Amino acid sequence: MSKLTEWSFRNKAAIILIVTMALVMGVISYFRLPMEFLPAADNPQVMITAIGPGNDAKSMEQQVTNPLEEAVTFIKGKTDMFSTSGDGYAQVNLNFESKTDMKEAKAEIERAVGQVQLPENVMKPFIVQFNTSMIPIAWVTLTFDDGMSEQEREAKLKEVTTELQKTEGAGEVTVSGKSSPIVNITPLSDKLSEAGIPAQAIMGVLQGRGASASIGERTVDGAAGNINIYDEVSDLDTLRKLPVAAGVKLGDVAKVELAKDQESISRMNGKDAIMFTISKAADANAVTVGKGIEKTVERLNEDVKGIDASIILSTSDSVVSSVNSMLREVLLGALFATVVILLFMRNIKATIVTIVSIPLSLGITLYLLQLSGVSLNIITLGGVAVAVGRLVDDSIVVIENIYRRLQKESFSVKLITDSTKEVASAITSSTLVTVAVFLPMGLLRGSLQAFLLPFALTVAYSLLASLLVALTVVPLLSAILLRGTKEKEHKGSPKFAHFIRWNLQHKIVPIIIAVVLFAGSISAYVLMPKGALDSSSAENVNVSLQYPSETPADDVLEAGKKLESFLTADDNVEWVMMSLGNSADAAKYGAVSSPTLVTFMIDLKEGVNAESFMDNVKTQKDNYKDASLTANASNLMMGGGSSQIFIDVTGDDPEQLSQTAEQLIAAIKPIEGVLKVESNQEEKKPVYSFKVDPALAKGQEVAMQLQSMLNPLPIGTIRLEESDTPVMLQPIVNPDSEAELKQLTIMTEAGAVPVSTVAELVRTEEPSLYYHKDGKTYIRVTANAEPSELSVIGTEITKATKALKLPDGVSLAVGGASADQSSDFADLGLTALISIGIVYLIMVLTFKTLRAPLAIMISLPLAAIGAVTGLLVSGVTPDFTAMFGALMLIGIVVTNAIVLIDRVKQNELTMPIREALIEAATTRMRPIVMTAVATISAMLPLIFGSHESGSIVSQSLAVVVIGGLTAATLLTLIIVPCVYELLFFRTSRKQRRASAAAPSAEAAAQQV
């Protein structure tokens, strides 16, 4: 590496040009890099969703879920398959290996599903494969002026939808809460009886109507012309006048009225509204698309009369805010690091030489990110934020060594190059070690790799760039700016040297203290509860109100409006969006739910504590006694922070599954911190089944007659206000008791008879949810846990499951938040072990010995002491990001030990081991403390600044890194020399004996 320094002095003009190009290209790259919230990542999962309004869960399971599962069982790359069948919907989730080509997998599933024959009243299934580019860019609400007809609303809705879809870079546009005009014809039984007309006569009222035909061309009054026929029903009065029998008009025997057909309900701040959810195209820039949508909405409000469109939330604004926030923290970190260097060096010129590595390294990093096709997002900027303190480390070591020698020797270019050469090996190996820690993130599986690899690349690029700058630009600038510098010589502290000597003489004392502290910190960490991601700073909250499946739809809606009033009245709330029911548009994205579930998306005002708000919402539980009220923090781009733990009970015998689930619920309920526990089998709904006697009637004919009696039937369309409006014949009868159901009249070969004469009516209580895993039924037991105690509760639940005596063939699998947490922790733990192995290998290659790197590795457990202490002192609950901080520490803390041991190895050429250790500790103390304080200072904005909810760069990460680095820096200077001398104990002891014997021999010679 010293060759690079010599080359830079021989090519000063080229270095100046390269520096200028790096800065210019960095600025250009910053403006050209696409801004995203998250890096592009495919979710290795495909979701199949089907909607069948009115169908019970069991029917959906048997007639929809089962055939869909059979069709996709042998799809290539599939690892497992889960399905949910509920009232009115069915959903099949297929998980794939991370290496699977997801576009090909989706296409194969579409072909397989396309061949499945489903019941007529079930919509064609929607198939979706998620990608981070599908994160919505904007939520747009649309309201209409009062007095506008349904037809006018429909026309304007189409126009607005089309314009939004035409916005450059826009992807899917999902519409919820929309309604369409419909004409309802409700037969009047008493009037039909008086007229002696069967209800079926109404079904043919529109047959032959609405025709348009061309008769041909004829010469009329001397001119050729065309003759056409139009038969158009264009208003309700005309429809009412249509004959259904001789002398009887439709209006005489039925009520005809215009109504709204609404799939789902969407409300904004207590008013009915249409909601557009807009995503971007896969390769589009989030910020550009967001601005385009803003312009489209402005234009629509000006050009389209009678509407009011507004953007309630734009994630492109959040992207800009997130990027600017993270960039601000990067710049603050750089400023703090600069101040630290200035305080230590007490020389402005030396400080300028050092901090030049920050803009240069960032410029090179941005250019390399652009070349790598990586976007500017909170993950990549987070990488810069955590690396900014390390960007000056290499330069600090180089400039400190140059500056220290200039205090004792005369200036010369050779002094500059020699000073750089002295530390070149140490900074190169320490930088490679740090980079090596992050690169194994590429080995992580699935989406975790997609998120962390850009982070690893950012850190690797910035650190390698800082090394390059430290070996080329810093020496060259030193030769220019430090020429003629003559400062008072800086000497190592004699007291510190004495302290190190005492520790080396009594090695057992500091080592035992370090071991005790390490054991104590590990014990404290094990006992410490691991929480879900902190959500107090979340901007959004999801509230759900879940009623039993048998609850009438009107009751659910009324309760939803009541809770909506409470939420909108809260001064902490910016807006409340309420949703109820399933729609085809939402099903395209797999968003289906129970018809008795009301959900609220709430945007909080700036500075509101989300945890306090959620606690306040939960106090309303008593007002909705039959319902389950939950509130979770949510990040619109990262998803919600769930703290649910579920246990799946699998097996072949349904009876055994039910019994095991009941035992499991009883075992989990008493666990402290479990807020609620339930299973999908507990949620039941009455199902009335007609069991037809085959000898008396045909089941298909009975089903068709009952369907026509009990369900709305389309009988045609009429032309209202230039648009075709469907006409629906409403149910002739509306039975509301078992007795009335039995008395329904059907036609058989024997004539008109009550249905009870040909079929037995059976009432059963059926679950409103069915779960399958790989085609087999299982029961899911769900426990809601206290978020801050997630790991502890998860452990207790696992113990409870293991303590149960299970029947043969029944097994339990724990999943959910605690399992995901454990999985993520395990992945990072494996990555940490791989990183430690790579670090050790690099140091063995650097020092060409196995023992010296072992002394360096001792700094890792020392860092753990500080990391755990930091968590305890700050009161921050360790979560996934804290573990990520621990992984970062591996690369950061060994840097100081490498710089120390590198000096020891140089000293050993002329000194005994003990003296070499003392001299190295006193000489390297200043650069080691400087680099540590600079890194710590650069991370302070992450502790005191605002961080994005759901980001891997957070307060807990900063606490772990700062605590670990502080302890490791202090203890490295004490413990590492002790361990090093212990590893070379025999050699050191011989040297000490030889040095002690030398004065004795001299004294004896003088006496002779």
Side-chain angles (χ1 to χ4, degrees), residues 244-318:
V244 292
V248 180
K249 298 173 184 175
L250 178 63
D252 297 336
V253 292
K255 185 163 66 173
V256 180
E257 58 189 353
L258 188 65
K260 289 194 301 184
D261 180 28
Q262 197 162 11
E263 284 184 311
S264 62
I265 294 169
S266 190
R267 290 165 62 86
M268 171 61 63
N269 288 337
K271 295 180 181 178
D272 287 336
I274 289 171
M275 177 69 66
F276 297 93
T277 306
I278 307 160
S279 62
K280 71 179 188 66
D283 55 350
N285 186 314
V287 177
T288 305
V289 176
K291 289 178 179 175
I293 290 168
E294 286 177 17
K295 290 178 182 176
T296 301
V297 169
E298 286 176 12
R299 191 178 71 252
L300 284 168
N301 282 326
E302 290 175 5
D303 298 347
V304 183
K305 303 302 179 186
I307 68 160
D308 180 22
S310 60
I311 299 174
I312 61 162
L313 192 69
S314 173
T315 57
S316 64
D317 292 341
S318 299

Side-chain angles (χ1 to χ4, degrees), residues 31-50:
F31 288 106
R32 292 182 63 181
L33 275 168
M35 273 193 184
E36 308 291 343
F37 189 78
L38 292 170
D42 267 327
N43 187 358
Q45 184 185 64
V46 174
M47 190 181 289
I48 307 167
T49 306

Side-chain angles (χ1 to χ4, degrees), residues 176-212:
S176 60
K178 68 178 179 181
S179 61
S180 53
I182 185 171
V183 176
N184 284 334
I185 298 177
T186 308
L188 302 172
S189 301
D190 53 342
K191 298 289 185 182
L192 286 167
S193 299
E194 284 177 22
I197 300 171
Q200 284 76 7
I202 297 177
M203 294 178 66
V205 73
L206 287 174
Q207 285 181 358
R209 309 281 180 188
S212 63

Side-chain angles (χ1 to χ4, degrees), residues 359-376:
L360 267 177
S361 300
L362 290 179
I364 295 169
T365 300
L366 289 170
Y367 179 61
L368 291 175
L369 287 177
Q370 187 187 353
L371 289 181
S372 304
V374 177
S375 64
L376 204 61

